[in-house]
Amino acid sequence: MSMRLQIWLIFLAPLALLAALYALGLTIPVPHLGRDYVVRLLLPEAGAPLDLPTIHGPPDRSRPLVVIDPGHGGKDPGASVEGYREKDIALGLALALRDRLVRDGGIRVALTREDDSFLVLGERPEIARRMNADLFLSIHADSAAKASEASGASIYTLSAQASSEAAARFAERENNADRLNGVRIEGQSEQVSEILIELSQRRVQEESAEFTSLILREGEGTLVFHPRPRRSAALAVLRAPDVPAVLYESGFITNPADAERLATLEGQENFAEVMARAIRIYFARQTGP
């Protein structure tokens, strides 16, 4: 028997067997093992509100609210070098800042995560929006290919091009929203809504830039900044069109001196003192005459 014929028999024999059984009215019993296995997922009720973080500080809702976002978390460790993980450094700095603001009083504080939880990137600015936050601060740690050459903190705001793209997407998604930055846009034409959102985003960018200046001013002599600390980029976490937002890269985890400083209690307290002071000045200016 040729090799080709053997191969054809291997493929055709099962089909011939099934055809014969069908012709005779017979069936092959199917094992029951696993047939009763059911996976049940508990889903929230339709329309039920999503859980939002706890707000710390005074119960007075007229007080300004800052939402602090420790980057990464859970299955996403961020940059990791020699025992240091970006998610741990970001959370340590965020908790220190929360405690400082609560201790000083007068400002409400919420964290997007207060433990080693994982959050989808888009959830972070959305939390700030849904809580009607007055300021959004995302904390990260940078990394570089050459461990010892890059050092210091840098502050990112949303780039102008990304701002326009974000405004366009927001207008498309929420053209019938009620208010944006205190301006009613419900019932407006698509063109008018886009203009209002664009103006709102421009105002948010100006306020974000002002907060960046305050961080640099208040941190001089206390924090270590990169030679080029002001930066802008199309970062998704900064794209809330109605909440002033900055992303603070606290230093380079790939730089041993930076990583050690950011992981120590002294380094976290220095950060918290500077950032809390910048936040208070920022809010004082927003409510001033």
Side-chain angles (χ1 to χ4, degrees):
M1 184 182 296
S2 68
M3 180 65 67
R4 179 175 296 180
L5 182 58
Q6 293 180 35
I7 294 174
W8 274 107
L9 287 175
I10 291 174
F11 282 101
L12 294 177
L15 296 176
L17 175 61
L18 291 174
L21 290 173
Y22 180 79
L24 296 173
L26 302 176
T27 59
I28 299 176
V30 178
H32 285 267
L33 180 63
R35 294 180 66 184
D36 296 327
Y37 182 76
V38 177
V39 177
R40 290 184 173 87
L41 299 176
L42 296 178
L43 300 176
E45 295 182 6
L50 297 175
D51 290 337
L52 292 175
T54 300
I55 297 178
H56 304 274
D60 183 358
R61 298 185 65 179
S62 67
R63 300 286 184 168
L65 171 64
V66 55
V67 171
I68 305 169
D69 172 46
H72 305 281
K75 64 182 181 181
D76 175 18
S80 301
V81 173
E82 297 179 359
Y84 296 108
R85 297 184 300 183
E86 183 179 358
K87 67 175 184 177
D88 298 329
I89 287 178
L91 182 60
L93 294 172
L95 292 173
L97 177 56
R98 178 202 66 185
D99 294 345
R100 179 59 182 253
L101 289 170
V102 171
R103 185 167 66 248
D104 292 345
I107 293 177
R108 298 181 298 148
V109 189
L111 271 65
T112 56
R113 66 178 182 96
E114 296 189 352
D115 53 23
D116 190 21
S117 301
F118 173 77
L119 289 174
V120 177
L121 187 61
E123 290 181 299
R124 300 171 184 266
E126 186 61 23
I127 287 173
R129 289 201 67 248
R130 294 191 58 180
M131 298 183 77
N132 295 316
D134 300 287
L135 185 64
F136 179 77
L137 171 65
S138 188
I139 301 175
H140 290 254
D142 217 333
S143 62
K146 295 184 179 180
S148 61
E149 293 188 2
S151 175
S154 53
I155 308 166
Y156 284 83
T157 55
L158 189 66
S159 68
Q161 181 178 358
S163 171
S164 298
E165 293 173 359
R169 281 197 303 274
F170 187 81
E172 181 179 357
R173 187 178 76 247
E174 300 189 32
N175 191 44
N176 295 320
D178 182 20
R179 286 180 178 271
L180 181 71
N181 252 336
V183 178
R184 181 174 294 278
I185 62 174
E186 183 180 17
Q188 305 287 350
S189 68
E190 182 177 351
Q191 292 79 9
V192 172
S193 293
E194 289 182 3
I195 291 172
L196 291 175
I197 292 170
E198 187 74 34
L199 291 174
S200 173
Q201 182 70 80
R202 190 177 303 171
R203 172 186 159 192
V204 164
Q205 280 191 285
E206 292 172 354
E207 293 173 354
S208 301
E210 179 183 359
F211 181 50
T212 298
S213 298
L214 289 172
I215 297 172
L216 294 173
R217 190 189 76 180
E218 298 303 314
E220 186 176 359
T222 302
L223 302 180
V224 178
F225 290 108
H226 189 270
R228 291 177 51 250
R230 286 180 179 267
R231 305 191 181 190
S232 63
L235 299 173
V237 78
L238 299 178
R239 293 194 179 195
D242 51 353
V243 182
V246 303
L247 185 145
Y248 181 80
E249 291 279 9
S250 53
F252 283 79
I253 197 171
T254 47
N255 183 294
D258 275 13
E260 183 177 359
R261 180 174 60 252
L262 297 172
T264 62
L265 181 60
E266 180 182 2
Q268 292 170 357
E269 290 179 346
N270 287 339
F271 161 82
E273 178 184 359
V274 167
M275 194 64 69
R277 194 162 59 240
I279 290 171
R280 291 186 179 282
I281 297 171
Y282 170 81
F283 284 138
R285 289 184 176 181
Q286 298 301 309
T287 58

